[in-house]
């Protein structure tokens, strides 16, 4: 698609034409590492059907094995090896949708054989893979694909089976958001029920992690860099925009998938490299250091007030990071509120309600669920103490809550 501009374009392997002298998979992985990513994901096969490894399946004529003068390169192998060298885990995107099979007029039975053969190659030929992103659940064999992963790569995370998408490719997670849902087939391996897609349910029977994806370009699209002259032709998001996406996804307890595509030369373009590096640096600057105030694992009952001293009078703050102990308790909080005390330490400890002022939260972004972690962006303010009130929880159960307070202003 990078070379044709369409997933249904030229079905000749010769259309895959990066400069083999320039193409550098390790550069792609280093870009992911620069953002602080623990996992990098390669699109091993997209819906055009082209395979980035020399498959022995029916799609071998439409794979790197058939590219003229390609010298038997295997980009999946190069990618996995590069991940190991850079110290991050490899993941693979793979889709059952295959326009090449359609061009060949394969029957559904023939498509199934090809798809499962290709997936088996990826599962057994490249060592441990941390994550499989299955997209376009064509052919009705999605569950069978997940079963293959469990057979050969039992520790791998599978999109749909273990986690689900939220936000609809906007780069922002839904809210409120529950990590439990009922599934379409009533088993733990199924996708979330359609009525709970992208948001979960407080009464859901199965635990699911969430993820939200976005491309590095404005508007979270396109997904491919089909620049004809190997330059970035699309508007790249600013660092502030990218961090807003990160906070709107990771800050709602989800995994953030940021697409940073290589161009036709086989390299990720300089604008994208720069934006990715600056994103990683800004996240590190904001959150890698110690918060200005923190309380850890404090037990709170519904209606109970948790006070976090700022350490000195009228400290500046603009982010509040909250965490439930979901590993021990599950997700419980259904509603909470924040307030601040401006004044002396004695004022804040006096017990007088008049010294506390509410901190406004947009209900589409905060004040309801917390879960694994939740970042509230609050209007920049000063406070001597911050107060969290857990207003309600599932079954009125107590929770263990961690609160961190940050001032993310640039120095």
């Amino acid at each position: 698609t990078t070379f044709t501009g369409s997933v249904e374009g030229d079905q000749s392997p010769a259309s895959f034409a990066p400069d083999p002298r320039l193409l550098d998979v390790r550069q792609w992985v280093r870009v992911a590492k620069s953002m602080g990513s623990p996992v990098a994901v390669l699109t091993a096969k997209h819906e055009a059907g082209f395979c980035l490894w020399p498959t022995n399946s029916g799609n071998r004529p439409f794979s790197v094995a058939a590219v003229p003068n390609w010298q038997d390169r295997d980009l999946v192998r190069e990618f996995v090896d590069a991940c190991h060298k850079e110290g991050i885990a490899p993941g693979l995107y793979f889709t059952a949708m295959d326009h090449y099979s359609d061009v060949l007029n394969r029957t559904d039975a023939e498509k199934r054989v090809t798809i499962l053969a290709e997936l088996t190659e990826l599962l057994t030929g490249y060592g441990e893979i941390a994550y499989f992103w299955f997209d376009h659940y064509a052919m009705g064999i999605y569950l069978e694909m997940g079963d293959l992963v469990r057979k050969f790569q039992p520790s791998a995370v599978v999109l749909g089976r273990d986690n689900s998408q939220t936000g609809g490719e906007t780069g922002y997670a839904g809210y409120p958001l529950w990590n439990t849902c009922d599934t379409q087939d009533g088993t733990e391996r199924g996708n979330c029920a359609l009525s709970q897609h992208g948001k979960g349910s407080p009464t859901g029977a199965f635990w699911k992690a969430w993820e939200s994806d976005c491309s590095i370009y404005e508007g979270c699209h396109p997904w491919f860099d089909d620049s004809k002259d190997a330059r970035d032709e699309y508007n790249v998001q600013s660092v502030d925009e990218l961090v807003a996406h990160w906070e709107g996804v990771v800050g709602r307890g989800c995994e953030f998938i940021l697409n940073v595509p290589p161009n036709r030369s086989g390299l990720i373009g300089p604008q994208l490299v720069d934006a990715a590096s600056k994103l990683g640096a800004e996240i590190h600057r904001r959150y890698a250091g110690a918060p200005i105030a923190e309380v850890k694992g404090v037990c709170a009952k519904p209606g109970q007030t948790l006070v976090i001293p700022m350490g000195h009078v009228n400290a500046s703050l603009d982010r509040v990071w909250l965490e439930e102990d979901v590993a021990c308790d599950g997700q419980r909080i259904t509603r909470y509120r924040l307030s601040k005390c401006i004044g002396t330490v004695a004022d804040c400890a006096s017990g007088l309600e008049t010294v506390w002022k509410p901190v406004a939260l947009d209900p589409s972004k905060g004040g309801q669920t917390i879960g694994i972690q939740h970042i509230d962006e609050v209007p920049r303010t000063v406070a001597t103490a911050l107060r969290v009130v857990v207003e309600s929880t599932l079954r009125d159960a107590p929770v263990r809550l961690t609160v961190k307070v940050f001032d993310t202003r640039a120095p």
Side-chain angles (χ1 to χ4, degrees):
T1 303
T2 299
F3 297 93
T4 65
S6 169
V7 296
E8 300 180 33
D10 184 358
Q11 298 293 323
S12 166
S15 63
F16 180 78
D19 188 334
R21 298 166 299 175
L22 293 178
L23 188 146
D24 184 358
V25 177
R26 193 167 181 181
Q27 186 240 13
W28 308 350
V29 175
R30 284 173 171 159
V31 170
K33 186 176 181 179
S34 75
M35 296 186 289
S37 303
V39 180
V41 180
L42 174 71
T43 302
K45 175 189 172 185
H46 201 254
E47 58 196 78
F50 187 80
C51 298
L52 292 186
W53 75 101
T55 178
N56 289 311
S57 74
N59 275 19
R60 187 174 180 84
F62 196 48
S63 75
V64 291
V67 176
N69 303 314
W70 195 243
Q71 301 173 338
D72 299 321
R73 288 180 70 171
D74 179 343
L75 297 190
V76 174
R77 168 56 58 201
E78 293 181 26
F79 170 76
V80 171
D81 289 347
C83 285
H84 292 159
K85 291 175 182 177
E86 295 299 330
I88 62 179
L92 296 175
Y93 172 110
F94 179 85
T95 178
M97 185 175 287
D98 186 340
H99 288 296
Y100 181 67
S101 287
D102 294 335
V103 169
L104 297 180
N105 295 315
R106 287 175 177 152
T107 66
D108 284 352
E110 290 170 334
K111 291 178 182 179
R112 176 184 174 278
V113 170
T114 298
I115 291 163
L116 295 181
E118 290 170 347
L119 180 56
T120 299
E121 289 175 346
L122 295 175
L123 287 166
T124 60
Y126 298 94
E128 185 173 350
I129 305 298
Y131 171 70
F132 282 90
W133 181 351
F134 292 152
D135 201 4
H136 304 298
Y137 307 141
M139 294 293 301
I141 62 169
Y142 169 75
L143 294 179
E144 194 171 356
M145 290 164 61
D147 289 342
L148 265 183
V149 176
R150 280 293 180 268
K151 177 181 178 181
F152 293 112
Q153 298 266 0
S155 62
V157 174
V158 180
L159 176 61
R161 187 180 190 124
D162 303 310
N163 60 348
S164 295
Q165 288 188 324
T166 178
E169 295 189 355
T170 63
Y172 292 103
Y175 192 80
L177 191 63
W178 291 95
N179 280 108
T180 50
C181 72
D182 300 305
T183 58
Q184 295 176 27
D185 67 349
T187 73
E188 59 86 21
R189 66 181 188 165
N191 284 304
C192 285
L194 294 178
S195 62
Q196 300 170 18
H197 181 71
K199 58 185 180 182
S201 168
T203 60
F206 302 101
W207 180 270
K208 300 282 186 180
W210 291 102
E211 64 181 45
S212 187
D213 53 353
C214 180
S215 190
I216 198 167
Y217 300 112
E218 293 281 359
C220 286
H221 289 82
W223 289 99
F224 296 91
D225 183 354
D226 57 2
S227 307
K228 295 178 176 58
D229 57 359
R231 293 182 301 160
D232 303 315
E233 292 185 347
Y234 306 103
N235 292 325
V236 179
Q237 294 188 59
S238 69
V239 174
D240 286 344
E241 289 173 317
L242 291 170
V243 173
H245 283 298
W246 185 91
E247 291 181 334
V249 176
V250 176
R252 295 179 192 172
C254 308
E255 299 298 328
F256 181 38
I257 296 181
L258 181 64
N259 175 61
V260 187
N263 56 35
R264 292 186 177 188
S265 72
L267 295 171
I268 296 175
Q271 293 181 13
L272 276 63
V273 171
D274 183 62
S277 176
K278 288 179 178 177
L279 169 63
E282 181 62 10
I283 293 169
H284 187 273
R285 185 194 69 78
R286 291 189 182 196
Y287 295 110
I292 60 175
E294 179 179 19
V295 295
K296 292 184 176 181
V298 176
C299 185
K301 299 178 181 179
Q304 186 172 344
T305 296
L306 180 62
V307 177
I308 304 96
M310 293 296 102
H312 59 87
V313 173
N314 294 343
S316 297
L317 64 104
D318 63 358
R319 298 291 190 279
V320 181
W321 184 306
L322 306 108
E323 302 172 4
E324 291 184 66
D325 191 347
V326 297
C328 293
D329 304 330
Q331 185 179 0
R332 294 181 176 177
I333 293 175
T334 59
R335 190 165 296 278
Y336 67 94
R337 56 185 168 89
L338 306 177
S339 55
K340 62 184 179 180
C341 176
I342 301 174
T344 66
V345 173
D347 289 337
C348 299
S350 67
L352 295 174
E353 189 63 26
T354 54
V355 301
W356 292 94
K357 305 298 179 184
V359 175
L361 296 177
D362 181 340
S364 69
K365 298 179 180 180
Q368 300 184 68
T369 55
I370 293 176
I372 297 170
Q373 62 197 28
H374 186 86
I375 298 175
D376 278 319
E377 178 182 359
V378 301
R380 180 159 289 122
T381 187
V382 296
T384 304
L386 185 76
R387 188 170 69 178
V388 181
V389 178
V390 177
E391 294 189 314
S392 59
T393 66
L394 295 180
R395 299 176 295 280
D396 291 327
V399 296
R400 279 169 280 199
L401 190 61
T402 292
V403 183
K404 305 173 187 178
V405 182
F406 293 89
D407 180 5
T408 67
R409 291 178 301 175

